[in-house]
Amino acid sequence: MAGGCQGAVSSVWKRPVPKYSREVVAQVLAANDIVDVVGSCVELKPAGSGRFKACCPFHNEKTPSFTVSRDRQQYYCFGCEKHGDAIGFLIEFEGLTFFESLRKLADRGGVRLPAMSDFDDREDLLRTQLAEAGKFAARFFQECMADVLKGGLGRQYLKTRELKPETVKRFGLGYAPDGGSRFVEAARAKGFKDNVIEASGLARRNDRGLFDFFRNRLMIPIRDVSGNPVAFGGRDLGDGLPKYINSPENALYKKTRTLYGLFEAREGMRREKRVLLVEGYFDLMRCFDVGIDHVVATCGTALTAEQAALIRRYVPEVVIVYDADLAGIRAALRGVSLLTNAGLTVRAMTLPDGKDPDDFIRKHGPESFRRLADDAADFVTFYVRMSENRLDTIEGRTAVARELFTILTGVNDELRVNEYLRQMARALQLGEWACRNEFARIRHDQEARPFREEPAPRRTVPIADRDFIASLLQHPGLLERAHDALSGISLQPGPVVQVLKALWEDNGASPVFHNDEDAGMLYAAAANRDEITPETAANIVVEYVNNLKRALLKAESENVQRRILQAERSMDRESIPELLRQKAGIDREIQRLGAA
Ligand SMILES: [Zn+2]
């Protein structure tokens, strides 16, 4: 099996010790229902008794094994075992830090967090300041655009793009004035320190100090998945080169992990269950301008595996709409491979006459564009079509076939692979069986490659542990019985004991496992377990407790047995009868508990 979710498990996220007290964290969690938090990112279907199901956003699957429990406020995937509470979900899904996730949920739930000066983590402080600087800059550039004196050039240019005022507003377009350090001065006046202004990437330093990075450009804010401007694209107002410059990366902005328009497109993507991938800022804004709102853009950077994985969290299908020039086609073919590998169904198209979506929609209207997107070819057909100049010779066709085979090894679904192979054979005029055999050979070679990365060892929750804890959660009366039955027994430390302790201490309130990943996983798995009837639950608990006791007694019995042997070896005859009596007592106890 290629791909899958083993890779994800190796990077199991460790929750850092929070700077906030348990009370604050609990308060924030209580103010947000995890079902709403997850439900705003993933389409959840009710699965009975307060649980919801969805196809997992963290691994590729066809049948849903991702569950969310409203009662326990936990999510858990029975496939890849990602799990946690609402804070953990946002960390995983949106790539936030613990602090950012906490703050986002605090805002969402109307909980006031302690002020900035109350914590001392420098990284968090800088990230917070950069977020403030980004917001300030977006406002500043918009005000410059609106300013009668300063904004004339920007407004003039914007007019040529023929966007509706609401589109301009929605995407927060602005204007960076000429003059050297207008932004730097405004930011200083607002109280931003030079180190923050410089770290934001909106200013650079020379021997005379800070100066504006963007000058006399149309400013396009690049937002993160929460809608905060973290970077900017700046468009030259004429034909000057470079046409676009982008903010350099900073603590908040990673080019390879950002897709332009994702924040705005989330609703549309959920509705359409697919996304159109375009190249430019204005291609995307044009689409939104005419009501096509399930679009994201790469904006000048080559598509990355991280971006492909990001798309996969939201939709199962992507339609690549790149320019029909050579660079565009090459980028599209590369994109096919990355997106397929991320588990997405990929279709692709180019627009007639080498037009980009912006030009095309302006000339032919949104309906023709929509139709083309609906009819976009599957990636095999697209790939073959784009390789037309190589199809005349058998060598050329074989080369194209090899490239497609390589892409197909990344497809995780046998049915689809079969269908693609059939299409390939037809399109390339190659024998279907020859195609299949060659593909099987390539796949086999790849799997046998000696330097293949070993999948990380998968940690799993033992089913007995999960069902034991689930029984206690679903039937709290059993909690006390388990407590009584286990009192006086020295239990081996481990996830089960961690969870038990938390349940006993918190009287059934939702526990938080900050530093114990295994306990957190066990708890999430148990919280999302199907319903267990009271009788079955009681049996599970009795059985589990007996097993625990039996294991302890067996260890003790073996221990005494060792001492008997030792005594025999050292001719210590006096102590042997007593040891034998002890062992007999323990063995009787084991028998009393019955067979396992
Ligand atoms: Zn999963």
Side-chain angles (χ1 to χ4, degrees), residues 125-187:
L125 183 64
L126 179 64
R127 288 174 70 98
T128 308
Q129 288 169 333
L130 286 177
E132 289 303 320
K135 271 183 216 155
F136 169 75
R139 256 198 325 274
F140 172 79
F141 295 135
Q142 280 171 48
E143 280 164 15
C144 287
M145 174 90 100
D147 189 292
V148 181
L149 293 175
K150 282 185 247 164
L153 289 171
R155 288 197 301 275
Q156 217 169 32
Y157 172 78
L158 190 59
K159 218 176 263 169
T160 67
R161 306 299 315 213
E162 296 176 17
L163 291 170
K164 292 177 188 138
E166 54 266 36
T167 307
V168 172
K169 195 163 171 229
R170 181 167 194 185
F171 289 94
L173 301 186
Y175 171 65
D178 225 339
S181 57
R182 296 263 179 88
F183 171 74
V184 171
E185 283 154 26

Side-chain angles (χ1 to χ4, degrees), residues 5 56-61 65-66 77-82:
C5 53
C56 180
F58 305 122
H59 83 278
N60 301 329
E61 63 176 5
S65 46
F66 177 85
C77 173
F78 286 86
C80 69
E81 300 207 295
K82 291 252 186 222

Side-chain angles (χ1 to χ4, degrees), residues 217-485:
R217 281 180 182 264
L218 184 87
M219 296 301 287
I220 305 163
I222 299 168
R223 295 170 174 143
D224 65 12
V225 281
S226 311
N228 304 308
V230 289
F232 291 84
R235 171 70 163 88
D236 187 88
L237 298 187
D239 294 323
L241 288 174
K243 232 197 300 189
Y244 287 94
I245 54 175
N246 266 25
S247 302
E249 298 198 335
N250 61 37
L252 291 181
Y253 174 53
K254 297 280 171 278
K255 277 188 180 128
T256 55
R257 264 180 259 156
T258 309
L259 280 164
Y260 180 66
L262 183 60
F263 171 70
E264 289 82 1
R266 295 208 298 186
E267 279 304 312
M269 286 164 77
R270 202 169 311 136
R271 189 186 60 243
E272 304 283 334
K273 298 193 173 49
R274 65 174 174 179
V275 68
L276 309 183
L277 181 67
V278 300
E279 282 183 290
Y281 296 109
F282 283 98
D283 294 331
L284 182 134
M285 284 187 257
R286 173 67 51 207
C287 287
F288 274 78
D289 200 65
V290 297
I292 301 168
D293 61 354
H294 53 298
V295 190
V296 295
T298 47
C299 296
T301 56
L303 188 76
T304 65
E306 284 163 302
Q307 289 168 329
L310 190 59
I311 292 175
R312 180 63 192 82
R313 288 190 206 156
Y314 294 90
V315 285
E317 184 186 327
V318 59
V319 181
I320 304 177
V321 191
Y322 278 8
D323 294 356
D325 57 20
L326 211 64
I329 291 169
R330 208 168 287 152
L333 294 183
R334 206 178 145 267
V336 162
S337 168
L338 278 169
L339 293 162
T340 308
N341 263 303
L344 285 148
T345 300
V346 183
R347 297 191 291 136
M349 66 190 240
T350 54
L351 296 166
D353 317 325
K355 287 214 163 32
D356 62 33
D358 186 17
D359 295 332
F360 184 88
I361 293 173
R362 274 208 261 184
K363 189 159 175 213
H364 301 285
E367 279 323 306
S368 346
F369 181 76
R370 250 185 230 276
R371 257 197 309 280
L372 281 174
D374 286 344
D375 297 340
D378 65 86
F379 80 83
V380 170
T381 309
F382 177 79
Y383 204 100
V384 172
R385 201 180 290 157
M386 289 303 128
S387 313
E388 222 163 18
N389 55 340
R390 292 193 283 165
L391 299 185
D392 295 339
T393 63
I394 180 77
E395 288 79 18
R397 290 205 295 278
T398 317
V400 174
R402 289 248 160 73
E403 288 160 25
L404 275 168
F405 285 145
T406 312
I407 298 175
L408 281 180
T409 55
V411 178
N412 230 341
D413 175 344
E414 277 317 295
L415 283 176
R416 274 170 57 205
V417 169
N418 272 325
E419 182 52 34
Y420 288 142
L421 284 171
R422 193 171 309 134
Q423 283 169 8
M424 249 182 82
R426 208 180 311 131
L428 291 171
Q429 299 164 282
L430 299 169
E432 194 175 323
W433 281 111
C435 247
R436 277 182 204 288
N437 287 338
E438 182 63 7
F439 177 65
R441 196 184 62 76
I442 287 177
R443 184 146 69 172
H444 180 265
D445 282 358
Q446 250 188 20
E447 270 156 18
R449 219 174 270 163
F451 294 111
R452 208 144 189 264
E453 227 178 290
E454 280 293 304
R458 241 189 104 165
R459 302 174 317 150
T460 51
V461 175
I463 287 171
D465 293 355
R466 182 194 72 193
D467 288 354
F468 172 57
I469 300 293
S471 301
L472 299 178
L473 287 174
Q474 291 182 18
H475 306 282
L478 294 171
L479 201 55
E480 208 170 320
R481 276 169 60 186
H483 189 263
D484 294 345

